[in-house]
Every structure is written in C-alpha cells, then in structure tokens.
Amino acid sequence: MMTRLERELASTDARSLGRDAWEQLCANRMARIGGGLFMGIALLCLIGPFFVPHSHETTQLAYGAQAPSWTHWFGTDELGRDILVRTLIGGRISIGVGFAATMVALLIGVVYGMIAGYYGGRIEAAMMRFVDTLYALPFTIIVILLTVLLGRSILLIFLAIGAVEWLTMARIVRGQTKALRKQTFVDAAIVGGAPTRRILARHILPNLLSPVIVFTTLTIPAVILLESVISFLGLGVQPPTSSWGILINEGAVKLDIYPWMLIFPALFFSLTIFALNFVGDGLRDALDPKSMGES
Amino acid sequence: MYLLILKRLLQAIPTLWVIATATFILMQLTPGGPFDVEKDIPEEVQALINAHYGLDLPRHEQYFRFLEQRLRGDFGPSYKYAGWDVDEIIAQSFPVSLELGLYALLVALTVGTPIGVLAALRHNRPSESVLMGFAMLGICLPAFVLGPILIMVFSMQLGWFNPFGWNTLGDRVLPVVTLGLFYAAYIARLARSGMLDVMRLDYIRTAHAKGLAQKAVVMRHALRTALYPVVAYLGPAVAGLISGSFVVETIFFIPGLGSFFVNSAFNRDSTMVMGTVLFYAVLILFFNLLVDLIQMWMNPRTRHDD
C-alpha cells in the first residue's frame, strides 16, 4: 500500500520534460489550432500542386487574367498562370527558406553562444561585442547589404537571413550557458576530467534545449517574414521562381484590376505567420513559463 | 547623466568604424564595379570614369580616402544618380522618411497605449478579448500585406485617399497607418502586460485603500510604471520603423530615404548603399541614446545602472 506522497511521486517522476511540455501544449487551444493550421498549409503546399491540373510555369497569354472560377479556384495572373498552384509552390519556397535559414541560425547561434558563455572573460567580451555591433543595424538592412554582395538566388537568400538571425540565438544561448557554467554538475564534470567538448555536448547542450526550441519556433515565422519583405522589395528570390513575397508584390501592383492576385497569397502568408506565432507562444508557455519575456 | 551621454558617444565611435569598414569591405567584395553594366563604353572612357571616382587607386588608399571623407560628413557622389552627392540625396529624402516615421510612432503610441491599458483594466472580460484580438491582427498583418489592402479598400473602393504620392495631408494617412499599426498593436500588448503587473503591486492597493477613485489610481499612480516596457521598446521600434519605411515607401511611391536605399541596393550603387547604411547606424544610435534618457527621466531606478 503506497502512501499518498509515494503515489504522487510515482505519478510525477515518470514524466519527462518533453512529454510534460507536449501535454501542456496540447492543452493550449490556440497553440493546437495554430499547429493544425500550419500543418494543413504546409501539407497543402507540399502535395497540393500534384493534384491541381495546372502548371505554375505554363503561361497562356491568350487566356490572361481571369477571376476565380471552377477551373481556376484562385483565378489566374495576367500571363494566364494559375494562382492556386503559384501560391502553393511559393509556399514551398517561403516555408522551405524559413526552416532552412532557421537551421543555419540555430547551428551558428548555439555553437557561438555556448563557446562565449562557457569560456567567459575576454573571449566572451570580444565575441559578444561583435554581436552587439551587428545588432546596431536592423536585420533587414544587413540582409539587403548581403544580397547586394551575394546576389539574389534562393540559396544565397537563406544564407544571408541565417547569417543575421543567429545573433539573437547566440545571445540567449550565451546567457543560459553562463548560468549553467556556475552549476556544480559542470564543476563535477571538470574535476572528473571530462574534455571541454564533452562537457559542452553532454552537460550544457541538453540543458539548453527548452529555450533553444522555443526560440527556434519563434524564429521560423520571423524568417519567413524577412524573406518575404526582401522578395517583396525585389531584392530576394527572383521571378520566375516565386515565393509569397513575390506573389504579394505582383498582386500589389495589379490590385486595382486583379485583386485576387493579392488576396489569396496574402491570406496564405498571413495565416502561416499567425499559426506559427501561436505555436511559438504556446511552446514558450509550456516549456518556460517565466523567463524569455515578450517578443 | 552627462557622463552617460559622453560614454555612449565614445562607445558609438568603434561601432560606427566597424560598420563603415564592414560596408566598405562588402562593397569591395561585390563582384563587378558600379559602371560595369553600361554597354559599349570605350576602354579610355571607362578608365576616366574610374579615375574620376577614385576607383583606380589601390585598395588601401581607397579605404583611407573613404574613411577621411566619412569623417568630414562627405558621403561621396552617387554612382547612379549622376551629379548628385549621397549627402544631398539623404538631405532631400530623409525629412520625408522622418515625417512618416514620427507620425507612425505617434499613432502607435496614442492608439496602442490606451488600448493596452483599457484591456488590462477589463481583464478577463469580453472587451479585453476584442481589444487584444485587434492587437493580434495588427501583429500578424505585415506592412506589405496591409498597405495594398488599405489601398484596395480606401482608395479603390471608397475613393477617400490617393493610392500613392506624398503631396497633401490626406496622402499621409494610409502610409502612416500601414507603418504604425504593427507598432500600435505591439505597444498595446506591452502596455497591457505592464498594467496587469502594476495593478497587482502593493502601492496600488494602498492607493485604492485610501479611497482614491479608479481613474485617479490609474492615471496618477499606475500608468507611469506600467509604461516602462513601452518606453524600453521605443529603441527597437525606431529600428523597426526604419526597416518598415523601405516597404511602405515602396508601396506608396513616397520619395523618402527608404525607397532610395532599396533602389540603390537594387542598382548596386555602392556609395549610396554604404552612405545610407552609415547614416541609419548614426540615426539608430542617436535614438537609442534618446530613449535611454527618456527612460532615466521616467524611471529613477535605471539611473544608477553602470
């Protein structure tokens, strides 16, 4: 016969952080809606184009811009291209760039922040001074500068965006690592003769997981937004490749005569940002109820 | 106080130097010179043009010339707008952007703050959800989606405003709303959470206990403290407004610095890009200092930080 305390212990200690967070996330209604919505949009962009009997490239000049109809649900642009397919294909690029650039940011930011936070002292001061200097400029300006330097292909755009988005990640990771570095289990590992690389990988990194996951989720919509802004300005992905930024730009130019060219891509784009932000907020509440603050 | 200003100004020097050097290196690395695009230029003419702009000098001489010019506040000639100096273009177009940005900030503060405060005072009531729903909408609608939609509704359908331009006072409305709405929404969220935190504090309970009306408690006691996060956000907001101006000025064809910057990036007009980036850096450092001073004036506790 277990006492009440024992029962409580038995029921709590078996739950890992991940599982606990997952349950909390599922309990959050907005996060659930956001997650479902995003999965739906992503899936639609991924497999949708195979089921639509139009190509995103084939132009039908004679056909021209047509309002939404049963054959073209979202209408066509002035070159006769189907907007539905173009929106879905554009979504692939936008979401793909969003994830790829976030991964670049994640990798650089975590390694950089961990090294700075772990070693401390002059190394940290120099490393963070560099980050602060880059922070003096808005990310959009840095990315525009980089696109001037690198050119305007998709690959380079996501590299450029990844090259600025890691800054915030590095700051967060550095702060956390600094706090962890003072913990006794790190001292124990050092005394035990573990090499630094092992300490970072086995003792520091796992403890960084929750802030890193939360921030990663919030970075993805930020990256998608940044890519779209750059593409909208004509400095990003170049036509005929399309991303949501490009489609919205084309729609904005023609909005007085062909409003559907703007409405549908804009709708998909806004819903995605909206959904991802809710998932990020939900994850933040689930993994990290207090710190990290707003934004 | 003066010490802090001095310290910040001194700190700004290396930052600006790094940015200036970085932009210089980036532009040097950029494949192709600024005059490579023109076709059919005889060799000699090409050489003359390069000599005129100092592009034939060795790299390090170009660099020192570049730094020396910047120190004198001379940003050099624009490569694309022939006959114009970069500082002349900035002097011409920046006031337009400044006006746009200040109006947007003003709208953001005057709309966002009351909404956030009201939402906090109506905590857990339906009106809070309505107000914060509006805020969420503002956050999820980026300028380049909102701007065209506003044009579609208010210019095309209703015919209230011109779809673009920057001539009459009415032309200001749509761009300012497009630029300011996101910040209004964000400030509303900050003001709400600030207000919720403050209303829980002891001194507010004391104010209630001594019989003050709710209005007096909010206006005279809570508001100042509740707005600290909003003031702290003004620094990042200025940086964001600058990035936002690129988009808004492009949508509404406003002849501000933002659209010149985007165009020069598009044309690879390197002196123009470098000059504008440096100018923006100075601007942001200046506004951050200003925000810090406002913060110190409002919140005595921040005065003794380092």
Side-chain angles (χ1 to χ4, degrees):
Chain A
M1 181 78 186
M2 281 197 288
T3 64
R4 192 164 152 253
L5 182 69
E6 275 173 333
R7 267 204 309 278
E8 257 176 29
L9 279 176
S11 69
T12 49
D13 71 354
R15 284 145 55 104
S16 66
L17 172 78
R19 200 188 152 141
D20 200 34
W22 178 249
E23 279 171 14
Q24 276 198 47
L25 191 66
C26 292
N28 182 334
R29 193 158 56 104
M30 291 318 283
R32 226 169 41 221
I33 296 174
L37 192 60
F38 176 71
M39 293 305 262
I41 292 174
L43 214 66
L44 216 62
C45 293
L46 207 61
I47 59 171
F50 298 117
F51 295 97
V52 182
H54 309 286
S55 154
H56 67 288
E57 284 170 332
T58 321
T59 56
Q60 292 171 277
L61 289 173
Y63 199 69
Q66 299 283 324
S69 63
W70 283 112
T71 32
H72 296 281
W73 291 358
F74 288 7
T76 54
D77 65 8
E78 77 278 17
L79 300 178
R81 289 175 293 189
D82 184 68
I83 296 289
L84 172 61
V85 184
R86 293 200 75 203
T87 304
L88 295 180
I89 300 276
R92 280 185 188 173
I93 303 279
S94 285
I95 295 174
V97 168
F99 276 83
T102 304
M103 289 308 125
V104 173
L106 180 74
L107 203 71
I108 306 177
V110 169
V111 172
Y112 194 92
M114 241 171 29
I115 291 173
Y118 186 80
Y119 286 105
R122 268 197 209 149
I123 298 179
E124 179 194 10
M127 286 174 88
M128 294 327 279
R129 192 82 206 128
F130 175 67
V131 171
D132 289 344
T133 306
L134 284 178
Y135 242 91
L137 287 173
F139 285 179
T140 318
I141 292 185
I142 305 180
V143 174
I144 290 178
L145 262 178
L146 287 174
T147 58
V148 173
L149 166 71
L150 297 170
R152 301 176 192 142
S153 77
I154 306 175
L155 193 75
L156 300 170
I157 296 304
F158 95 74
L159 275 179
I161 294 175
V164 292
E165 288 286 344
W166 66 270
L167 294 169
T168 317
M169 180 69 87
R171 279 189 165 179
I172 290 171
V173 168
R174 169 206 159 242
Q176 296 279 327
T177 309
K178 247 176 113 70
L180 288 169
R181 175 72 185 80
K182 296 197 190 90
Q183 302 271 323
T184 41
F185 68 84
V186 177
D187 288 333
I190 295 172
V191 172
T196 308
R197 198 191 299 168
R198 194 181 150 81
I199 294 176
L200 285 176
R202 299 300 289 272
H203 297 281
I204 305 277
L205 193 59
N207 284 300
L208 288 172
L209 270 183
S210 45
V212 167
I213 290 174
V214 172
F215 187 70
T216 305
T217 333
L218 289 169
T219 303
I220 295 172
V223 168
I224 295 181
L225 192 65
L226 190 52
E227 184 272 325
S228 299
V229 168
I230 301 291
S231 295
F232 178 84
L233 293 174
L235 300 169
V237 180
Q238 295 295 302
T241 316
S242 67
S243 82
W244 283 335
I246 298 227
L247 291 173
I248 292 171
N249 183 2
E250 289 174 1
V253 175
K254 304 258 157 45
L255 88 170
D256 47 339
I257 27 181
Y258 315 130
W260 55 89
M261 279 180 65
L262 172 69
I263 291 169
F264 293 106
L267 193 70
F268 265 67
F269 172 82
S270 303
L271 281 178
T272 305
I273 301 289
F274 195 67
L276 282 171
N277 273 320
F278 272 121
V279 176
D281 281 352
L283 258 179
R284 181 169 60 193
D285 292 343
L287 283 170
D288 208 57
K290 274 202 169 158
S291 61
M292 312 222 20
E294 284 279 332
S295 88
Chain B
M1 176 100 155
Y2 293 108
L3 205 69
L4 179 116
I5 299 180
L6 191 72
K7 196 178 149 192
R8 292 290 290 273
L9 289 178
L10 285 178
Q11 274 177 347
I13 294 172
T15 307
L16 289 176
W17 174 72
V18 170
I19 292 173
T21 308
T23 48
F24 179 82
I25 295 171
L26 283 180
M27 287 304 152
Q28 292 289 323
L29 291 174
T30 307
F35 302 108
D36 287 356
V37 273
E38 272 90 354
K39 297 164 270 184
D40 297 334
I41 296 182
E43 288 273 320
E44 307 85 60
V45 178
Q46 185 82 42
L48 269 177
I49 293 177
N50 282 341
H52 177 72
Y53 288 110
L55 294 173
D56 54 344
L57 300 172
R59 283 276 158 80
H60 64 275
E61 269 182 49
Q62 282 190 42
Y63 176 62
F64 287 122
R65 211 173 104 137
F66 163 82
L67 276 189
E68 185 214 317
Q69 283 178 342
R70 295 306 171 274
L71 278 176
R72 281 192 276 116
D74 171 7
F75 288 76
S78 163
Y79 289 149
K80 284 285 142 126
Y81 301 96
W84 285 82
D85 276 354
V86 173
D87 17 338
E88 286 169 352
I89 296 178
I90 292 179
Q92 283 250 320
S93 57
F94 177 61
V96 175
S97 296
L98 186 69
E99 192 188 343
L100 172 67
L102 286 182
Y103 283 153
L105 198 60
L106 199 71
V107 166
L109 283 170
T110 49
V111 173
T113 317
I115 286 182
V117 171
L118 263 175
L121 296 177
R122 300 265 182 287
H123 192 42
N124 287 335
R125 284 194 237 170
S127 44
E128 187 196 18
S129 317
V130 173
L131 289 172
M132 294 333 281
F134 161 78
M136 197 67 207
L137 197 72
I139 284 179
C140 290
L141 271 182
F144 64 94
V145 174
L146 181 65
I149 290 177
L150 287 180
I151 294 180
M152 197 147 75
V153 175
F154 292 101
S155 303
M156 305 296 172
Q157 302 293 324
L158 298 170
W160 290 356
F161 304 105
N162 292 327
F164 44 76
W166 189 254
N167 301 314
T168 65
L169 201 64
D171 289 346
R172 265 69 166 169
V173 176
L174 292 184
V176 166
V177 171
T178 306
L179 187 56
L181 191 74
F182 173 86
Y183 297 94
Y186 204 92
I187 285 173
R189 280 171 60 144
L190 289 177
R192 173 181 162 273
S193 61
M195 200 70 190
L196 282 178
D197 287 345
V198 171
M199 292 306 274
R200 265 184 238 125
L201 296 180
D202 287 343
Y203 81 94
I204 296 298
R205 202 176 47 191
T206 311
H208 277 301
K210 73 178 184 188
L212 280 184
Q214 172 81 346
K215 198 175 163 193
V217 175
V218 171
M219 298 303 284
R220 214 165 324 139
H221 295 270
L223 200 58
R224 188 192 178 107
T225 316
L227 291 186
Y228 291 162
V230 174
V231 176
Y233 176 63
L234 288 181
V238 167
L241 285 172
I242 289 176
S243 321
S245 73
F246 305 158
V247 172
V248 173
E249 287 175 13
T250 306
I251 296 175
F252 291 96
F253 296 97
I254 297 169
L257 188 53
S259 46
F260 274 101
F261 177 63
V262 172
N263 269 328
S264 55
F266 200 82
N267 292 328
R268 301 198 147 171
D269 183 348
S270 48
T271 42
M272 185 69 200
V273 171
M274 284 191 288
T276 318
V277 168
L278 208 56
F279 178 76
Y280 279 137
V282 174
L283 196 70
I284 289 169
L285 290 172
F286 169 75
F287 271 106
N288 280 338
L289 181 61
L290 198 68
V291 169
D292 279 359
L293 292 178
I294 296 175
Q295 240 177 328
M296 281 178 11
W297 169 66
M298 275 183 71
N299 184 357
R301 267 182 294 182
T302 54
R303 280 177 209 166
H304 297 292
D305 275 9
D306 70 350

